[in-house]
Amino acid sequence: MAMQAAARAPKQLGCFGTRPWPRPSGGVSAVYTAALLPQVGSASLLFPVSPSPSESAKTQPRTSEQVRLLQDMCLVTVLTHASVAQPQPASACVKLQGFDDPQVAFSAKSTGQLLQSLAVFRTCSVEPLVQNADVLLAAAKKVVGPAVVTSVVRHTFFKHFCGGECEHTLKPTADMLRQHGIRPILNYAAEDDVSDAPTAVECADAAAERASNGNLRPFLKSVEDAGHRQGKGFVQAKVTCLGNCDMMKQVSAHFTSVSRITGHHVDDLRACLAAVLSPHHLQLFDNMVHRMESIAEAAASKGNVRLLIDAEHSYMQPAIDAVAIHLQAKYNKQTPVVFNTYQCYLKDSHQRLAADIQLAKQKGFLLAAKVVRGAYMHLERDRAAEMGYPSPIQDSLEDTHFNYNRCIGKMMRSCKDDKFEMMVASHNQASVEAAVALMHDLDMHPTNSGVHFGQLLGMADHLTYTLGGNGYQAYKAVPYGPVEETIAYLLRRAKENSDMLGGVGKETAMLRTELWRRMKRNNPITQFFSKQPAEAMLAGTA
């Protein structure tokens, strides 16, 4: 009887926990189906393949909540039909619960830390304050002095978003994360100025090269520190603080003139650029590659350390892509050591990812990709408008979601078939849930499938702690460095991600819920009034 009842019960989409997912009717799922599961079983045959939302004349503008609901409904439809049409083996994927559970999400934080987080998020959601934070900080330094401002920042925003000021002060944060199944991505928060101001004089200045050499040391120290930690570790590197921006723009312009998709696919990178760059800029390029090779070599020698190369502005990204491919071809023969980053808010990102996957198969190296939505949207659009070229950014948020999910689907299939590796770097719960569901559908084990998940320290804890607690390879990007340098980095991130910072409404609500739960648990008055009426009467007459 029990077996018959089990057979009659509908198959549970366990990766989504206990959320009551709606079962939609047909006709709404073409967009998300084509994006997320183009190659899973027979799912691509179940619904018509449509273009991205902005390319469809019939697509009406939707609110963010409607977009989220559409994605959720379509994903469940695809997975449900796929599971019926094609039986899957029992998956090793853990059934996740707790993405919406504040008690699970904030179990590692004290009540004081929750209050601090709530205050920080509320402050970051005030867009005028975020957009003018650098001006306000400068004014405050003049009024009360730099020491006071630095102290205030150190004990509020820095404490929330950063791991420490040096490698030694990272240990408490790293130990706390490890206790919850989470590993740190060490990120030295130094960054060169990437403005469009003329930099010919700066390029010739030997002091700029000395600064790049100085920035190399913290990255090498981060690799050394990550190598001593248990399990796989990541170190994040930003190329603009290890090389010359003017030179990178020239290199990028050359590759773009050949092909934005495959222009950086060259067998001999230096020989290709020798005919393009001046001897001085060619030497600067050699210096930058040498610094990046030093970090990659150090990571490869450790055996358990991966190097994440950050994506940057689109007008320098081709140069970064070329260096990343060069390093992957050299160091990713047996193990994926070097990861490149793909920003899915760029219109050409899916084509570039597909081309790089094909190149890796042809050249015999293991591609490793960090997939993000992107961090420079406003700057990219403003620059395109100012200089009179088409914006490289997706036309709508829905297009970005569509592109992100199809890039995740394509790369995850390569992780399954070709032993590539990837990092799903997202604060979007729908995308994380979809990635976990796709792992389940492909029967990919949480701990050894080559799929990693990453979020920023101090944000999206409900995602990271749930993933880490269920055995997935969960990571937190942990910026560190002197307060002054790190705050400059955080202000830049805050401006570039104002939409993300302003969209932490769910996390703020979860913080309030957990604070209220703890207050009721520890407050005898609220405990009394929360009792059942009969119990309250007995307690009152006792």
Side-chain angles (χ1 to χ4, degrees):
M1 294 293 292
M3 294 181 62
Q4 293 176 352
R8 290 194 301 269
K11 184 174 181 179
Q12 181 187 5
L13 295 177
C15 288
F16 292 92
T18 59
R19 183 170 176 176
W21 299 91
R23 177 65 180 263
S25 58
V28 298
S29 52
V31 168
Y32 204 58
T33 300
L36 184 62
L37 295 173
Q39 304 180 55
V40 178
S42 58
S44 61
L45 305 177
L46 297 174
F47 301 99
V49 176
S50 70
S52 64
S54 67
E55 296 171 353
S56 174
K58 296 182 180 181
T59 300
Q60 298 297 321
R62 300 184 178 91
T63 66
S64 59
E65 187 62 26
Q66 289 173 325
V67 171
R68 167 70 184 273
L69 180 59
L70 174 64
Q71 293 174 340
D72 290 349
M73 293 170 66
C74 297
L75 177 60
V76 174
T77 302
V78 174
L79 293 179
T80 302
H81 280 276
S83 65
V84 172
Q86 184 171 317
Q88 299 291 328
S91 175
C93 180
V94 176
K95 295 182 179 182
L96 292 189
Q97 295 182 2
F99 277 142
D100 299 308
D101 187 343
Q103 189 172 354
V104 172
F106 306 120
S107 60
K109 292 192 174 184
S110 67
T111 300
Q113 290 173 322
L114 294 183
L115 289 169
Q116 177 181 282
S117 299
L118 184 61
V120 167
F121 283 141
R122 291 299 298 168
T123 302
C124 287
S125 66
V126 182
E127 187 170 349
L129 188 62
V130 172
Q131 296 301 322
N132 297 286
D134 49 352
V135 177
L136 295 174
L137 283 176
K141 288 179 179 178
K142 292 180 180 179
V143 175
V144 299
V148 174
V149 172
T150 299
S151 179
V152 170
V153 171
R154 178 182 286 111
H155 292 92
T156 53
F157 293 91
F158 182 88
K159 185 177 181 180
H160 183 81
F161 290 113
C162 298
E165 296 194 54
C166 64
E167 297 88 350
H168 304 293
T169 58
L170 287 173
K171 189 176 186 305
T173 300
D175 290 345
M176 181 272 294
L177 293 173
R178 190 179 300 109
Q179 291 174 4
H180 296 272
I182 303 167
R183 301 187 185 104
I185 302 172
L186 302 184
N187 177 19
Y188 181 64
E191 191 172 336
D192 200 358
D193 184 5
V194 292
S195 66
D196 285 325
T199 58
V201 176
E202 297 173 8
C203 291
D205 191 350
E209 283 295 284
R210 287 197 298 271
S212 294
N213 288 329
N215 288 337
L216 175 61
R217 288 190 290 272
F219 289 120
L220 294 175
K221 185 66 177 68
S222 295
V223 171
E224 185 72 19
D225 185 64
H228 291 155
R229 300 185 186 277
Q230 184 179 1
K232 190 184 298 181
F234 281 88
V235 171
Q236 200 165 329
K238 200 170 187 70
V239 178
T240 51
C241 66
L242 294 168
N244 182 271
C245 293
D246 187 63
M247 173 272 296
M248 292 173 62
K249 291 175 187 176
Q250 292 188 38
V251 173
S252 295
H254 167 69
F255 288 139
T256 301
S257 68
V258 176
S259 169
R260 180 60 190 97
I261 307 303
T262 60
H264 60 287
H265 292 180
V266 294
D267 292 328
D268 190 333
L269 187 56
R270 192 182 190 281
C272 171
L273 296 176
V276 179
L277 300 178
S278 68
H280 176 66
H281 280 164
L282 186 61
Q283 183 61 54
L284 293 178
F285 179 81
D286 289 342
N287 294 346
M288 179 188 71
V289 172
H290 176 71
R291 295 181 190 110
M292 294 298 298
E293 286 182 338
S294 298
I295 303 173
E297 182 71 38
S301 68
K302 295 298 179 184
N304 67 329
V305 179
R306 305 291 187 265
L307 173 62
L308 287 174
I309 299 178
D310 269 350
E312 305 195 41
H313 301 152
S314 63
Y315 48 88
M316 288 188 291
Q317 192 59 43
I320 298 171
D321 290 341
V323 173
I325 289 294
H326 166 75
L327 295 176
Q328 289 180 334
K330 184 173 183 178
Y331 295 102
N332 288 17
K333 292 295 188 181
Q334 303 297 327
T335 303
V337 175
V338 179
F339 283 61
N340 194 20
T341 300
Y342 297 83
Q343 299 184 103
C344 295
Y345 72 174
L346 295 177
K347 294 177 180 178
D348 61 12
S349 54
H350 183 261
Q351 291 177 283
R352 286 188 291 111
L353 176 61
D356 289 351
I357 289 174
Q358 187 62 32
L359 179 70
K361 293 178 181 180
Q362 292 174 355
K363 299 294 185 181
F365 64 87
L366 300 174
L367 191 75
K370 173 186 172 187
V371 185
V372 304
R373 276 175 169 79
Y376 306 102
M377 180 178 69
H378 299 298
L379 182 146
E380 293 283 5
R381 283 178 172 164
D382 291 346
R383 187 177 190 271
E386 180 181 345
M387 300 187 69
Y389 62 84
S391 172
I393 302 298
Q394 301 283 355
D395 295 328
S396 68
L397 178 62
E398 191 173 7
D399 286 352
T400 300
H401 291 327
F402 174 94
N403 194 46
Y404 185 86
N405 288 317
R406 69 173 174 171
C407 286
I408 290 292
K410 187 169 191 63
M411 190 63 198
M412 196 174 291
R413 169 61 70 177
S414 293
C415 292
K416 172 73 172 180
D417 295 341
D418 306 305
K419 306 305 178 185
F420 293 173
E421 288 193 9
M422 69 181 296
M423 176 167 285
V424 181
S426 178
H427 292 182
N428 184 295
Q429 182 173 329
S431 291
V432 172
E433 289 176 333
V436 170
L438 185 52
M439 289 179 67
H440 183 274
D441 195 65
L442 294 174
D443 194 32
M444 300 176 72
H445 196 278
T447 59
N448 59 15
S449 62
V451 179
H452 316 273
F453 294 85
Q455 289 83 36
L456 292 174
L457 182 69
M459 300 188 71
D461 287 346
H462 63 298
L463 302 180
T464 319
Y465 281 84
T466 302
L467 290 164
N470 284 278
Y472 287 81
Q473 298 187 77
Y475 291 82
K476 280 288 193 187
V478 182
Y480 71 96
V483 174
E484 292 78 10
E485 293 183 27
T486 307
I487 290 304
Y489 162 85
L490 289 175
L491 288 177
R492 192 173 292 111
R493 287 301 299 258
K495 287 184 177 181
E496 292 156 353
N497 294 279
S498 59
D499 294 336
M500 179 178 69
L501 288 172
V504 294
K506 175 174 181 175
E507 196 161 357
T508 301
M510 291 176 70
L511 283 167
R512 289 198 188 99
T513 300
E514 176 61 9
L515 284 168
W516 178 244
R517 186 193 69 81
R518 294 185 186 187
M519 185 182 73
K520 289 194 297 182
R521 181 189 63 188
N522 298 321
N523 189 325
I525 297 177
T526 56
Q527 288 178 354
F528 176 83
F529 284 107
S530 65
K531 293 179 180 179
Q532 295 295 329
E535 294 176 339
M537 290 176 62
L538 291 173
T541 57

